[in-house]
């Protein structure tokens, strides 16, 4: 049909002829769907995956020689989930990346609606400036860049600095309120040097809080666990987990998506039957509703970033032992 004729439609006496009208009108009958709109539980989609820090570091080092900040203001490697058809996200609502900044370099200031955080792996003498506050980025620290906050990074010490970025860009892509702007002057003028800040969770503070924990978390996925912030940001929750050598967690699944960064130790995470071994600096992606278990060979500390706050505010956060 090239135009809608109500009288002709009224005379249709075969379903196939009625269905031929649907495409012209961009509708679909609830009794006749090409694919279901509802299903009993979340469908497997994004894949469990592990990225090796040793491999990523070698690639970043090569990029450090070949890619300067005139080519790319942020020298990072986006961790793209290998599920068919995906071109960007690490998991449904989150993206992670490894980033390198070298001595003397400045990643110029910008801001954007996606929220971001940095988990520092190696290097001293690198700073981030967030809305005028200049904070050193130290190994083990977790630093926040809230939505629409001006931020830049600079390396003034002798070390190459490596860290993990985690952002909610895929969620913003889905919801569509993406805004991005470069800082007109390139860098923020007259930043204030501070050591203690709400955006900086220092590793030594995390260790002290873990040591003070006397009970394991109720979910049993770690021997000790603390939360950074409550939550750290409206779309991303952060938990630091401690798991001793020989620890085996129960197997659980949750509707939230989780990205684990290994700060210390070694072990494996079994996700839906797939064994992902890991060591310091590695990243493990655990998609929503996939059963997973941690098995630890060398005492470990992990940072878990998840989209739990989104599911919580929507009343859709579920977690269960399998």
């Amino acid at each position: 049909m090239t135009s809608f004729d109500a009288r002709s439609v009224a005379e249709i006496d075969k379903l196939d002829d009625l269905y031929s009208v649907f495409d012209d009108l961009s509708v679909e009958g609830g009794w006749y769907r090409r694919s279901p709109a509802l299903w009993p539980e979340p469908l497997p989609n994004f894949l469990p995956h592990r990225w090796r820090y040793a491999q990523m570091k070698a690639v970043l080092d090569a990029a450090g020689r070949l890619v300067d900040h005139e080519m790319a203001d942020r020298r990072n490697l986006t961790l793209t989930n290998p599920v068919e058809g995906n071109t960007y996200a690490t998991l449904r609502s989150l993206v992670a990346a490894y980033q390198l900044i070298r001595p003397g370099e400045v990643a110029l200031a910008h801001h954007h609606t996606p929220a971001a955080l940095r988990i520092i792996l190696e290097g001293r003498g690198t700073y981030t400036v967030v809305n005028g506050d200049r904070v050193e980025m130290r190994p083990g620290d977790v630093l926040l860049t809230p939505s629409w906050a001006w931020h830049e990074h600079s390396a003034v010490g002798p070390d190459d600095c490596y860290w993990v970025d985690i952002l909610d860009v895929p969620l913003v892509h889905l919801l569509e309120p993406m805004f991005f702007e470069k800082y007109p002057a390139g860098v923020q003028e007259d930043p204030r040097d501070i050591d203690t800040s709400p955006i900086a969770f220092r590793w030594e503070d995390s260790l002290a809080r873990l040591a003070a924990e006397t009970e394991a978390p109720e979910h049993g996925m770690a021997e000790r666990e603390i939360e950074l912030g409550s939550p750290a940001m409206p779309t991303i929750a952060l938990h630091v987990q401690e798991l001793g050598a020989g620890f085996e967690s129960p197997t659980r699944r949750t509707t939230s998506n989780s990205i684990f960064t290994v700060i210390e130790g070694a072990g494996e995470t079994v996700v839906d039957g797939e064994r992902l071994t890991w060591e310091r600096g590695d990243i493990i992606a655990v998609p929503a509703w996939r059963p997973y278990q941690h098995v630890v060979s060398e005492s470990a500390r992990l940072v878990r970033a998840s989209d739990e706050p989104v599911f919580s505010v929507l009343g859709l956060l579920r977690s269960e032992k399998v």
Side-chain angles (χ1 to χ4, degrees), residues 41 219-221 249-255 270-273 286-293 318-322:
E41 62 179 33
H219 52 64
M221 300 304 290
S249 77
T251 300
R252 295 192 68 88
R253 62 183 178 182
T254 172
T255 50
V270 184
V271 188
D272 217 0
V286 179
W289 211 239
R290 298 292 190 97
Y292 74 98
Q293 178 194 33
R318 293 190 185 185
S319 175
E320 66 180 33
K321 189 175 180 180
V322 180

Side-chain angles (χ1 to χ4, degrees), residues 121-162:
L121 298 177
E122 290 185 54
R124 293 276 182 165
T126 296
Y127 292 80
T128 186
V129 181
V130 178
N131 283 344
D133 289 338
R134 187 172 182 262
V135 184
E136 187 177 6
M137 305 162 73
R138 305 166 186 161
D141 289 355
V142 180
L143 296 105
L144 308 181
T145 304
S147 173
W148 211 236
W150 291 111
H151 57 283
E152 67 198 66
H153 317 299
S154 60
V156 299
D159 299 342
D160 288 347
C161 187
Y162 303 83

Side-chain angles (χ1 to χ4, degrees), residues 89-321:
T90 305
L91 291 171
R92 174 66 71 187
S93 64
L94 299 170
V95 65
Y98 286 99
Q99 185 164 170
L100 162 66
I101 190 168
R102 307 194 70 186
E105 293 182 337
V106 177
L108 298 177
H110 62 213
H111 64 178
H112 39 65
T113 41
L117 62 97
R118 332 283 167 195
I119 303 170
I120 314 306
L121 298 177
E122 290 185 54
R124 293 276 182 165
T126 296
Y127 292 80
T128 186
V129 181
V130 178
N131 283 344
D133 289 338
R134 187 172 182 262
V135 184
E136 187 177 6
M137 305 162 73
R138 305 166 186 161
D141 289 355
V142 180
L143 296 105
L144 308 181
T145 304
S147 173
W148 211 236
W150 291 111
H151 57 283
E152 67 198 66
H153 317 299
S154 60
V156 299
D159 299 342
D160 288 347
C161 187
Y162 303 83
W163 68 80
V164 172
D165 293 310
I166 298 177
L167 302 91
D168 61 4
V169 171
L171 179 64
V172 176
H173 283 168
L174 177 66
L175 300 176
E176 298 190 352
M178 177 64 75
F179 295 91
F180 169 84
E181 183 181 12
K182 293 183 177 181
Y183 194 74
V187 297
Q188 299 169 71
E189 302 88 348
D190 301 319
R192 300 175 294 276
D193 286 314
I194 60 174
D195 187 67
T196 302
S197 169
I199 70 161
F201 297 99
R202 299 301 192 189
W203 184 236
E204 58 268 26
D205 295 334
S206 294
L207 292 178
R209 289 182 58 198
L210 284 169
E213 286 292 319
T214 58
E215 296 182 2
E218 185 176 350
H219 52 64
M221 300 304 290
E223 292 183 312
R224 295 184 179 89
E225 179 183 82
I226 60 170
E227 183 173 7
L228 306 181
S230 56
M233 290 185 285
T235 55
I236 304 176
L238 290 167
H239 292 83
V240 183
Q241 299 179 328
E242 189 170 74
L243 308 88
F247 174 78
E248 293 189 16
S249 77
T251 300
R252 295 192 68 88
R253 62 183 178 182
T254 172
T255 50
S256 66
N257 296 278
S258 301
I259 296 175
F260 292 90
T261 301
V262 183
I263 305 300
E264 298 174 356
E268 67 179 21
T269 299
V270 184
V271 188
D272 217 0
E274 182 176 353
R275 295 184 178 275
L276 305 174
T277 59
W278 43 260
E279 59 188 13
R280 191 185 74 85
D282 291 353
I283 288 179
I284 309 101
V286 179
W289 211 239
R290 298 292 190 97
Y292 74 98
Q293 178 194 33
H294 297 309
V295 180
V296 181
S297 55
E298 179 185 325
S299 294
R301 295 186 177 102
L302 313 176
V303 175
R304 174 181 175 242
S306 74
D307 52 11
E308 281 187 359
V310 178
F311 286 87
S312 183
V313 76
L314 295 174
L316 298 175
L317 182 61
R318 293 190 185 185
S319 175
E320 66 180 33
K321 189 175 180 180

Side-chain angles (χ1 to χ4, degrees), residues 53-83:
Y53 177 46
Q55 296 173 342
M56 299 299 104
K57 185 176 179 181
V59 174
L60 282 174
D61 287 343
R65 298 189 302 271
L66 300 171
V67 179
D68 62 27
H69 277 222
E70 291 183 4
M71 293 177 62
D73 190 42
R74 265 64 171 170
R75 187 191 294 109
N76 55 30
L77 298 173
T78 303
L79 308 186
T80 302
N81 193 282
V83 67

